[in-house]
């Protein structure tokens, strides 16, 4: 098998060849068909703060969809030929692929069966790969941590690979969503997905008095301004890790009795729920595709903010 291996901060990914993984008890071998690329991949390559979460060296890629080619002893819910997606924060406790063990930037992955979700027949591998992080993380942040419901007024900052999914899902259940993004392309996408209004500066969300603001960007100023823009006794959900430190102004937070919560990943059930929404046509993630060989180039495109929607590598 081949894979793009992380060897250290600010070092290029290394294309390696190594023996194919073999199934062991409780795990399956997956032939990867699609792997999503994430802004956290940029963070890993640029910020040494990520090393506390990494096993180095490791083949990166935590958004994985593919076909099972080998099943280990004791696995009963999956069989060879099944189309599956891997929950990177699944119940196995093994940690995330691409961080704790070799991930989806390789052509094969050995993954715990406990972390797998069946892919519905009418969901593509690219969509399923996007569901495992972009879908799961945005769904969990918006609906589990944020508590978004029908009739609520909501702000969302950052309409990229995560924000677009949460926005479309929230609109679908009858929430009124206002979107903020510095990118004109992202603002146009938000309009197409049904946003009630779009702004370029997250400060402008204050005029809509959102009960919940979900910060999918996490670039310090976005979190700080979200806390000032949210309505009285409102909630800000921090998801994005654009930078790993932030500062806040405590006076507006105290006077408005604002709640700030962090949201990281989600659950296997979130992955299943997102795939169901895709299957039912209730969300349709915007996806840009590249090839396996273009993964390093794709990460650079993310770093330069040149990707609309979710970036997914498709394999032969």
């Amino acid at each position: 098998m081949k894979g793009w291996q992380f060897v250290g901060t600010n070092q290029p990914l290394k294309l390696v060849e190594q023996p194919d993984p073999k199934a062991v008890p409780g795990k399956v071998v997956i032939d990867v068909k699609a792997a999503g690329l994430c802004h956290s991949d940029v963070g890993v390559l640029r910020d040494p703060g990520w090393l506390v979460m990494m096993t180095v060296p490791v083949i990166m890629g935590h958004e994985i969809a593919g076909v099972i080619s080998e099943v280990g002893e004791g696995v009963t819910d999956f069989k060879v030929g099944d189309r599956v997606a891997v929950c990177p924060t699944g119940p196995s406790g093994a940690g995330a692929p691409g961080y704790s063990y070799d991930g989806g930037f390789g052509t094969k992955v050995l993954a715990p069966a406990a972390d797998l979700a069946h892919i519905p027949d009418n969901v593509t591998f690219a969509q399923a790969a996007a569901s495992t992080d972009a879908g799961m993380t945005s769904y969990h942040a918006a609906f589990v941590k944020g508590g978004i419901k029908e009739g609520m007024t909501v702000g969302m900052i950052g309409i990229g690979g995560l924000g677009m999914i949460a926005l479309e899902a929230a609109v679908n259940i009858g929430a009124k969503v206002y979107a903020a993004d510095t990118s004109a392309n992202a603002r146009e996408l938000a309009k197409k997905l049904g946003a009630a209004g779009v702004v370029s500066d997250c400060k402008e969300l204050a005029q809509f008095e959102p009960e919940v603001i979900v910060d999918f960007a996490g670039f310090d100023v976005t979190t700080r301004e979200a806390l000032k823009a949210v309505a009285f006794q409102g909630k800000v959900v921090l998801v994005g890790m654009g930078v790993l430190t932030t500062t806040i102004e405590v006076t507006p937070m105290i006077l408005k009795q604002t709640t700030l919560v962090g949201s990281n990943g989600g659950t296997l059930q979130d992955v299943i729920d997102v795939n169901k929404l895709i299957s039912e046509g209730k969300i349709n993630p915007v996806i840009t595709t590249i090839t396996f060989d273009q993964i390093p180039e794709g990460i650079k495109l993310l770093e330069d903010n040149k990707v609309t929607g979710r970036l997914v590598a498709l394999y032969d």
Side-chain angles (χ1 to χ4, degrees):
M1 61 163 284
K2 293 181 178 180
W4 291 102
Q5 189 179 71
F6 172 78
V7 294
T9 309
N10 290 315
Q11 297 186 48
L13 293 179
K14 180 181 179 182
L15 183 60
V16 298
E17 291 194 35
Q18 56 192 41
D20 291 349
K22 301 296 181 184
V24 297
K27 297 185 178 183
V28 305
V29 176
I30 301 169
D31 292 345
V32 180
K33 299 300 182 182
L37 283 75
C38 178
H39 275 282
S40 63
D41 297 325
V42 176
V44 167
L45 286 169
R46 296 290 177 254
D47 189 338
W50 288 86
L51 290 174
V52 297
M53 296 180 268
M54 308 289 293
T55 298
V56 182
V58 66
I59 293 173
M60 289 178 61
H62 57 277
E63 302 181 16
I64 303 165
V67 177
I68 294 176
S69 58
E70 190 178 347
V71 174
E73 182 182 350
V75 176
T76 58
D77 294 335
F78 299 92
K79 65 184 185 303
V80 172
D82 281 354
R83 304 167 74 244
V84 294
V86 183
C87 175
T89 53
S92 73
Y99 290 84
S100 298
Y101 63 92
D102 285 341
F105 292 173
T107 53
K108 290 180 179 285
V109 168
L110 178 65
D115 296 344
L116 303 183
H118 289 284
I119 302 173
D121 291 341
N122 63 338
V123 173
T124 68
F125 286 117
Q127 290 172 326
S131 80
T132 63
D133 184 14
M136 172 193 70
T137 301
S138 59
Y139 182 90
H140 190 82
F143 300 102
V144 179
K145 290 297 186 75
I148 294 173
K149 294 179 175 61
E150 180 181 2
M152 291 182 69
T153 299
V154 177
M156 291 189 182
I157 302 173
I159 311 304
L162 276 71
M164 66 173 183
I165 295 174
L167 192 158
E168 188 172 18
V171 168
N172 186 268
I173 68 164
K176 183 177 288 188
V177 184
Y178 295 92
D181 202 297
T182 57
S183 164
N185 288 338
R187 294 195 298 274
E188 189 60 33
L189 174 60
K191 291 178 186 177
K192 291 179 180 178
L193 294 176
V198 298
V199 296
S200 59
D201 190 329
C202 52
K203 292 179 181 178
E204 298 177 70
L205 291 175
Q207 64 187 298
F208 308 116
E209 299 183 342
E211 300 161 71
V212 176
I213 296 179
V214 187
D215 181 5
F216 289 109
F219 278 103
D220 181 27
V221 65
T222 56
T223 309
R224 184 167 62 251
E225 294 301 334
L227 288 166
K228 291 192 285 186
V230 74
F232 178 72
Q233 293 186 336
K235 180 187 292 185
V236 173
V237 182
L238 176 57
V239 189
M241 299 174 73
V243 295
L244 298 182
T245 59
T246 189
T247 56
I248 61 174
E249 295 180 35
V250 298
T251 301
M253 186 175 180
I254 293 169
L255 294 179
K256 291 201 295 184
Q257 302 175 39
T258 306
T259 300
L260 172 63
V261 298
S263 186
N264 176 30
T267 67
L268 179 60
Q269 188 60 50
D270 293 329
V271 175
I272 293 169
D273 289 346
V274 170
N275 274 286
K276 185 173 184 291
L277 289 171
I278 296 172
S279 176
E280 293 172 347
K282 293 179 179 177
I283 57 174
N284 183 25
V286 175
I287 293 173
T288 299
T289 61
I290 57 174
T291 66
F292 172 83
D293 292 334
Q294 293 174 317
I295 284 175
E297 177 185 339
I299 293 175
K300 185 65 169 63
L301 289 173
L302 284 175
E303 187 173 23
D304 294 339
N305 292 313
K306 293 182 178 179
V307 177
T308 298
R310 200 62 172 176
L311 186 62
V312 177
L314 295 179
Y315 301 1
D316 293 334

